[in-house]
Amino acid sequence: MDKKDFYVLPDIISLDKWLLFSTNSSALIKVSDIIGKYFLLIKAGVSHNDAIKHLSKDSNKDVKKLLSEVLESKEIFPKSPVFPDFKKEGLEVIWLHVSHTCNANCKYCYASKGKYFYKEDEKDIYMNEDVAKAAVDFLFEFSNGKKKLGIQFFGGEPLMNFNVIRKTVEYANKIAQAKKVKISYGITTNFYLATKEIVDFLNHNDFSVLISIDGDNFIQKFMRPPQSDNSFEFLRKNLKYACFTFKNPRKIFVRSTITSFYPFPYEISKYFYNNTPIRNISISIVSSNDKNLVLDEENKIIYTIQNQRLSDLYVKSLYKNDWFNVINFTSYIKMIYDANGGYKCNMGNASVNIDPKGDVYLCQWLIGNDKFKLGNINSVNKIDFFKGIRNNKYLHEINVIRKPFCKDCWARHLCGGGCMGRAFTYYNNHLHIDNSICWYTKLNIIAAIEIISILQHKKLLNKVVKFSYEKERSNYE
């Protein structure tokens, strides 16, 4: 047993029990005090035999026999990790960049208001209807017969090109109906431009809506300066209307980015919980070349305390039957519950991004960078396309097992080694590991492990898992 293959912590419910997480299977089990302390000793560098000797001195139980039941279980400790199956080639989701301009001025925007990696004279600002329809044809042709497909509308700010979104959905619906394919839609937006007409359209077509808001009016004006002083009030009204008219208001999500300016995820979440109908939030910490924005060590201490309060809110809201769903926790709860080996990025395997010109890229972080361009929707050959993905050196190199910094980390298969696009955008190195992201990811995984124990005790875990099964990961990433 190697310390890189497990994580152990005291059970928050039972004082004489421990929670043991297996890295390769992502299984989580509750073990006795003796077994928990054995893994603590291994983590501290004590050998297997010495750990057994140490524990046997203070116990009349057969420590070796108790351990064998855990260590020899192939379900808990398989020799190699079990990953989700991506063997069947074929696209499932396309991200349509319908607008490469924006009506906000977010201080940390990685896309530079839609410029991405383009030179100023190269970027096309809006996708036209012909390119959008060709992208839909591309999705259906390159899906290889899959019966569940998705289109994500992205930007810039996609609502600045709403007419093309509407035409695209109408076109895709006709094809999906003829081919008997279920198609879902999503949009990432700041929601400033949402009118009653737009909200009704999104609702009618069962969109998942991810709204970028960093908190109340004070935070929003400072970090995401709008075009007018009353923009936030419009935003609040739009949110309220959407939440109370949507057939499924659980398909509306808020995404908040944490910076050093306001490192308080609980306070932000509490604002939404107490003052808006929003009940889904995804919180991320900023990545930026601006050192004034990133979290320093003091900010991380504050964030850690706040994260614990946030997990308390998550659980207590479930007790009240008014669940405030924090995606940061729910996504890991589902991975651990499934015990399927964890996360593997869909980039290239099942999803691609298409820019306003129809050029195809691995992910939204890498739009405009020729190193990660896969071709154009009007000219790429299907055989060459999938062969290019299979042989893509970047996708091979980012395998978490091949990353020196990640190979000895207990959280490696839930994390997946971090985001290649983010690493290349900020460090010009797709293999770079951001220590802050590592800290943040482990913090959320540990919180998820503790929440699982609490929810199992209260018989509420199935409610969370059922919800997470109903949502596609791509809808809120």
Side-chain angles (χ1 to χ4, degrees):
M1 179 54 58
D2 195 299
K3 63 182 180 181
K4 73 177 187 300
D5 293 329
F6 68 89
Y7 189 79
V8 64
L9 70 162
D11 183 17
I12 198 169
I13 296 297
S14 306
L15 296 178
D16 59 343
K17 300 287 185 180
W18 293 75
L19 299 173
L20 175 65
F21 171 78
S22 166
T23 299
N24 280 342
S25 69
S26 292
L28 178 68
I29 61 170
K30 191 172 289 191
V31 297
S32 67
D33 189 50
I34 289 178
I35 303 300
K37 287 175 178 175
Y38 164 82
F39 283 97
L40 272 187
L41 290 169
I42 297 298
K43 189 177 178 182
V46 179
S47 70
H48 170 74
N49 290 334
D50 287 345
I52 291 177
K53 288 179 183 178
H54 182 84
L55 292 168
S56 298
K57 291 178 182 178
D58 300 319
S59 175
N60 55 6
K61 296 180 180 179
D62 188 338
V63 177
K64 194 171 184 178
K65 183 179 179 181
L66 291 173
L67 274 171
S68 65
E69 295 174 2
V70 176
L71 297 178
E72 293 175 12
S73 169
K74 293 181 180 179
E75 292 183 356
I76 302 172
F77 289 109
K79 290 183 179 180
S80 58
V82 181
F83 288 113
D85 186 11
F86 287 121
K87 291 181 181 178
K88 184 180 178 181
E89 287 183 334
L91 294 180
E92 295 175 7
V93 178
I94 55 171
W95 294 66
L96 285 189
H97 290 238
V98 293
S99 168
H100 271 184
T101 187
C102 190
N103 58 335
N105 293 284
C106 306
K107 294 186 178 182
Y108 49 76
C109 180
Y110 72 88
S112 302
K113 291 194 68 175
K115 294 183 180 67
Y116 288 88
F117 283 94
Y118 297 107
K119 295 177 182 177
E120 186 65 29
D121 59 349
E122 289 181 335
K123 66 183 177 65
D124 289 275
I125 295 179
Y126 295 109
M127 179 179 286
N128 64 42
E129 187 179 335
D130 290 338
V131 172
K133 288 182 177 179
V136 173
D137 294 336
F138 174 80
L139 170 63
F140 280 96
E141 181 184 352
F142 283 62
S143 68
N144 287 340
K146 292 184 178 181
K147 293 299 182 181
K148 290 184 179 181
L149 303 178
I151 298 176
Q152 295 289 319
F153 294 97
F154 205 70
E157 171 48 52
L159 290 183
M160 296 181 75
N161 198 9
F162 174 67
N163 188 52
V164 165
I165 294 176
R166 180 169 51 199
K167 295 289 186 182
T168 304
V169 171
E170 291 171 355
Y171 182 72
N173 283 342
K174 289 180 182 178
I175 297 177
Q177 186 175 9
K179 292 181 176 290
K180 296 182 179 180
V181 170
K182 182 179 180 181
I183 189 161
S184 60
Y185 301 102
I187 187 169
T188 300
T189 170
N190 58 40
F191 222 50
Y192 283 129
L193 299 177
T195 61
K196 183 179 182 296
E197 176 195 2
I198 289 174
V199 172
D200 290 345
F201 172 84
L202 299 177
N203 182 22
H204 177 73
N205 289 283
D206 203 26
F207 266 66
S208 290
V209 182
L210 179 59
I211 305 169
S212 300
I213 315 175
D214 287 348
D216 62 17
N217 191 26
F218 168 70
I219 305 169
Q220 192 78 351
K221 277 188 173 182
F222 186 78
M223 292 307 304
R224 305 172 61 90
Q227 290 184 328
S228 64
D229 289 338
N230 59 354
S231 293
F232 189 78
E233 192 55 37
F234 280 117
L235 180 56
R236 281 188 52 150
K237 289 179 180 178
N238 294 341
L239 271 175
K240 186 176 181 180
Y241 179 75
C243 287
F244 284 116
T245 58
F246 254 52
K247 293 175 288 188
N248 183 1
R250 282 287 182 183
K251 298 196 82 170
I252 301 174
F253 299 78
V254 158
R255 180 185 177 99
S256 297
T257 299
I258 301 291
T259 67
S260 59
F261 170 67
Y262 202 84
F264 309 113
Y266 170 71
E267 299 300 327
I268 291 171
S269 300
K270 187 174 67 172
Y271 165 76
F272 287 115
Y273 185 66
N274 291 334
N275 298 284
T276 76
I278 288 291
R279 288 298 179 266
N280 301 303
I281 190 169
S282 175
I283 296 174
S284 61
I285 62 170
V286 73
S287 289
S288 176
N289 291 323
D290 185 347
K291 293 183 179 180
N292 293 320
L293 291 176
V294 298
L295 302 187
D296 60 21
E297 294 306 311
E298 182 178 331
N299 293 148
K300 289 178 182 178
I301 294 172
I302 295 170
Y303 189 100
T304 301
I305 297 169
Q306 285 270 309
N307 208 53
Q308 182 59 57
R309 292 177 182 171
L310 183 55
S311 67
D312 291 342
L313 172 62
Y314 183 96
V315 172
K316 288 176 181 177
S317 65
L318 270 167
Y319 293 170
K320 297 177 181 178
N321 202 29
D322 187 24
W323 181 34
F324 190 70
N325 176 25
V326 183
I327 304 301
N328 309 54
F329 304 147
T330 302
S331 59
Y332 291 120
I333 289 171
K334 181 185 180 297
M335 288 184 207
I336 295 169
Y337 181 89
D338 288 347
N340 66 2
Y343 173 66
K344 185 177 181 181
C345 181
N346 276 336
M347 176 178 61
N349 291 297
S351 72
V352 293
N353 283 245
I354 301 173
D355 80 353
K357 296 180 292 185
D359 289 334
V360 185
Y361 294 88
L362 283 173
C363 85
Q364 65 266 31
W365 287 87
L366 303 169
I367 285 282
N369 189 315
D370 286 343
K371 290 183 179 180
F372 304 97
K373 182 178 173 180
L374 302 173
N376 185 279
I377 55 174
N378 293 311
S379 58
V380 68
N381 174 278
K382 186 189 288 189
I383 295 175
D384 292 340
F385 178 81
F386 287 114
K387 183 179 179 181
I389 290 176
R390 284 196 304 272
N391 297 330
N392 188 285
K393 73 169 187 173
Y394 296 107
L395 293 179
H396 283 285
E397 288 175 356
I398 63 170
N399 187 310
V400 68
I401 299 174
R402 297 191 180 101
K403 288 187 173 182
F405 188 83
C406 299
K407 65 184 180 66
D408 292 330
C409 174
W410 64 269
R412 60 189 180 274
H413 296 308
L414 291 183
C415 166
C419 173
M420 177 181 88
R422 185 197 301 259
F424 194 91
T425 298
Y426 290 113
Y427 305 101
N428 199 33
N429 178 1
H430 60 291
L431 297 177
H432 180 87
I433 300 298
D434 188 328
N435 290 328
S436 291
I437 299 297
C438 290
W439 158 81
Y440 164 79
T441 301
K442 290 176 185 176
L443 188 69
N444 285 322
I445 293 173
I446 292 170
I449 289 172
E450 291 187 335
I451 290 171
I452 288 173
S453 179
I454 295 170
L455 296 185
Q456 282 180 328
H457 180 71
K458 296 292 184 180
K459 298 181 180 179
L460 288 169
L461 184 58
N462 283 339
K463 184 173 183 178
V464 173
V465 174
K466 180 183 177 183
F467 173 82
S468 63
Y469 273 125
E470 293 170 351
K471 305 299 173 190
E472 294 289 338
R473 184 183 178 92
S474 60
N475 283 343
Y476 49 77
E477 265 210 354

